[in-house]
Each structure stands twice: as structure tokens, then as C-alpha cells.
Amino acid sequence: TKKRKLHEGHDFSGKIGSEVLCTADGTVKSSKWNGSFGNYIEIDHGNGYVTVFGHLSKRLVRKGDKVERGKIIGKIGNTGKSTAPHLHYEIKYNKKRIDPSDFYYDISYSK
């Protein structure tokens, strides 16, 4: 469409079929087709935090599944309104989207 909309979240390009890992322990809130996001997963981590994974080629978890950080939950894809293979990643806090950058591990402090 010609409508411009703020893009919230981050996109990570990758090959179709590359593994997508859960970023924190939680419970799968949703695993379904979701329009412009295509194959879509939401994970509830408690305390108001939810992560969102979109444009997946495959979803490997179902609603209600308990997941741990590092578990493979899906595969990178090009579904929904996607222009190239990538993972769309969002963090929501109390239903509001927040900048995921604040949660990334800073490897510059590693030895």
C-alpha cells in the first residue's frame, strides 16, 4: 500500500530456513498466521513483557508451549508483507512496543 506506517521492532536478514531462537523463558501466547506479519509467534515472559517474531517460514511451537531461552521456535522466512527473507523482532511491555536495542547483549565488554 502507499500508506506509510512507523516500523516498530527490528529486522534481521538471513537465509530462509535459518533457526530463530527464543530470547527468554516464557509461554507461547500465539503461534499463527497474522496478516502482514505472515507466520507469527508471540511469547509471554511475564511481568508485562512479550516478544514478537514475524515473517517466519515455519513455526515450531504452539500456543501454550513452555519455552526456554535458546530454544528453536521457528525458521526465518519471507511470509506476509515481506520484501525479502528476514526476521521481524519486537518487544512489548504492557502492550506497548519498546526499543529492543536496550535488551541486546553488548559483546564489546566480552574478553
Side-chain angles (χ1 to χ4, degrees), residues 51-66:
T51 50
V52 173
F53 304 81
H55 304 301
L56 304 170
S57 63
K58 285 189 178 182
R59 293 175 278 117
L60 302 175
V61 293
R62 295 180 183 194
K63 182 177 179 178
D65 286 354
K66 303 285 186 204

Side-chain angles (χ1 to χ4, degrees), residues 8-47:
E8 295 168 318
H10 290 173
D11 290 333
F12 298 95
S13 60
K15 291 182 180 181
I16 290 177
S18 296
E19 296 173 343
V20 174
L21 308 179
C22 182
T23 53
D25 296 354
T27 303
V28 177
K29 181 177 177 181
S30 179
S31 179
K32 64 182 183 179
W33 181 268
N34 186 3
S36 64
F37 281 115
N39 281 315
Y40 173 90
I41 296 171
E42 274 190 335
I43 299 175
D44 186 337
H45 304 285
N47 300 313

